[in-house]
Amino acid sequence: MQRRFNQLDDVWPAGLARRLGGMLYDGFLVAAIWIALTVLHVAFVRYGLGMGAEEVGADTAQRLTLQLLLLVGAYVFFAFFWTRSGMTLGMQAWRLRVQTRDGHSITLAQSLVRYLVAWLSLAAFGLGYFWVLFDSERRSWPDLVSGTRVVVLPKTRR
């Protein structure tokens, strides 16, 4: 169920530098998740399937299942945070939030679209994110295609 965010009048569109900062932080977290998933996959192949050490990673099926596991693992990370609070841990550090245009949390379908277009944006040498510099509303390709936007939250008052 989508929830409505507060502070909608106090937010503004996120620029490229903040987005890249959040992506860097999240990149470290995703790398840690990928390491854990790889260890589990190798342990399963080695001990669960009883293959020898020299056979681990030797066949195409093992490599494809590992790649799929890594992609799904990263998606689960992003979808979990985006659909709940609108912020991954890296986005929290940079006070960023992804939301719908009318200020609600995004859906699973929107998070899947964002995730897939993010890979496409990166594959295009980052052009999908550099698009923020040219768009009047500072939207990246993932924002445009999924109908979302990334905003900067105001500093909390103590």
Side-chain angles (χ1 to χ4, degrees):
M1 173 159 174
Q2 288 183 288
R3 66 177 254 224
R4 180 137 173 95
F5 292 121
N6 55 9
Q7 297 177 316
L8 295 178
D9 294 332
D10 300 331
V11 300
W12 60 93
L16 181 62
R18 276 187 187 270
R19 289 173 186 253
L20 293 177
M23 288 170 64
L24 179 66
Y25 281 34
D26 286 335
F28 288 123
L29 294 169
V30 169
I33 291 168
W34 283 355
I35 290 169
L37 290 174
T38 302
V39 167
L40 291 173
H41 184 269
V42 168
F44 174 76
V45 169
R46 179 81 166 93
Y47 302 108
L49 300 179
M51 293 190 172
E54 66 284 344
E55 296 173 304
V56 174
D59 90 25
T60 305
Q62 288 179 44
R63 287 192 303 273
L64 289 176
T65 57
L66 176 59
Q67 290 169 349
L68 181 63
L69 180 64
L70 297 179
L71 288 172
V72 169
Y75 170 68
V76 168
F77 168 78
F78 287 111
F80 175 80
F81 285 104
W82 286 342
T83 58
R84 292 174 54 93
S85 65
M87 299 183 283
T88 60
L89 298 174
M91 292 172 80
Q92 287 176 24
W94 288 87
R95 296 189 346 260
L96 298 173
R97 179 175 66 207
V98 64
Q99 62 187 32
T100 62
R101 291 186 183 140
D102 61 350
H104 287 89
S105 59
I106 68 173
T107 64
L108 271 176
Q110 286 174 308
S111 67
L112 180 61
V113 170
R114 277 189 69 79
Y115 180 74
L116 295 174
V117 176
W119 281 111
L120 179 65
S121 298
L122 292 172
F125 304 104
L127 181 60
Y129 289 102
F130 286 111
W131 197 259
V132 169
L133 300 173
F134 306 106
D135 187 82
S136 62
E137 297 178 39
R138 293 185 179 171
R139 294 171 299 179
S140 64
W141 288 356
D143 296 328
L144 290 167
V145 175
S146 66
T148 61
R149 62 186 212 148
V150 177
V151 296
V152 179
L153 300 174
K155 288 184 179 180
T156 57
R157 296 182 182 116
R158 292 184 182 202

